[in-house]
Amino acid sequence: MPTVRRIVVTGGPGSGKSTLLDRLGAAGYTRSDEAGRGVIRDQLAVGGVALPWADRALFAELMLCWELRNYRTATGGTVLFDRGLPDIAGYLRVEGLPVPAHVHAAARDFRYERRVFIAPPWPEIYRTDAERTQSPEVARRTCEVMAETYAEYGYELVALPKAPVHDRARFVQDALEDR
């Protein structure tokens, strides 16, 4: 079976994660789509209620399914993940909801590369949209909780620089080559 390097990029909303992963995808890396945005788009399309502003626990369950599928469908080579399973535990914590045992088990048992890239809050680029409705303060708090959550699951966090996307992409590429 081919070796898979599962690399996570996490952080708060609006910190440039997806833009960075789009750039790295254009450079030839395989990448996942962010579960939260995907679930929101799908739920809006079908009139569903698994939305962060309607049923946060159900929203988390669908994100869990999405992330497990992302994890399982990653094949050989390096795969970049726009968030990972520990993000679901972090999301529940940010929302003040309990983390069910099965979410904890998924985050604990389905492992990514030890080094996880974290995008710090970046108010200068933060924008809301139809799928990102959080305030900059919630975005900052989300980043803090994601850092705590990933550390609790035994990951080493590598902060991304607040730099233009091409510099951020080079930073990630250099870090991946250093391994």
Side-chain angles (χ1 to χ4, degrees):
M1 180 169 222
T3 302
V4 180
R5 289 182 70 195
R6 292 176 175 91
I7 310 295
V8 173
V9 178
T10 191
S15 56
K17 296 177 305 299
S18 297
T19 300
L20 168 63
L21 290 168
D22 288 344
R23 173 62 65 99
L24 290 166
Y29 286 90
T30 302
R31 58 143 322 176
S32 72
D33 290 326
E34 182 184 357
R37 282 187 177 270
V39 169
I40 290 169
R41 277 192 302 271
D42 290 349
Q43 289 295 292
L44 290 174
V46 300
V49 297
L51 296 161
W53 52 85
D55 188 333
R56 295 170 303 174
L58 185 56
F59 176 63
E61 289 296 330
L62 291 189
M63 286 194 299
L64 176 65
C65 292
W66 186 290
E67 290 297 358
L68 284 168
R69 184 172 187 280
N70 279 344
Y71 189 95
R72 290 185 185 282
T73 59
T75 55
T78 299
V79 180
L80 304 173
F81 288 80
D82 194 339
R83 302 191 175 277
L85 289 158
D87 279 86
I88 299 158
Y91 166 76
L92 290 165
R93 291 172 176 176
V94 167
E95 294 297 326
L97 298 171
V99 179
H102 67 282
V103 172
H104 172 66
R108 180 192 65 225
D109 297 343
F110 291 85
R111 304 298 295 175
Y112 302 91
E113 288 274 321
R114 181 168 166 72
R115 287 188 303 174
V116 168
F117 295 98
I118 187 163
W122 196 350
E124 294 80 10
I125 67 168
Y126 184 83
R127 301 288 179 272
T128 57
D129 59 31
E131 297 158 2
R132 180 189 303 127
T133 60
Q134 304 93 335
S135 69
E137 175 56 30
V138 171
R140 183 195 60 74
R141 177 72 183 127
T142 300
C143 185
E144 291 172 357
V145 170
M146 293 308 164
E148 294 165 4
T149 302
Y150 272 89
E152 288 171 13
Y153 286 112
Y155 291 97
E156 172 190 335
L157 294 159
V158 177
L160 292 170
K162 290 182 182 178
V165 67
H166 62 274
D167 292 339
R168 271 186 159 185
R170 173 55 42 210
F171 178 86
V172 170
Q173 290 171 312
D174 288 347
L176 293 176
E177 290 172 9
D178 285 343
R179 181 193 161 244

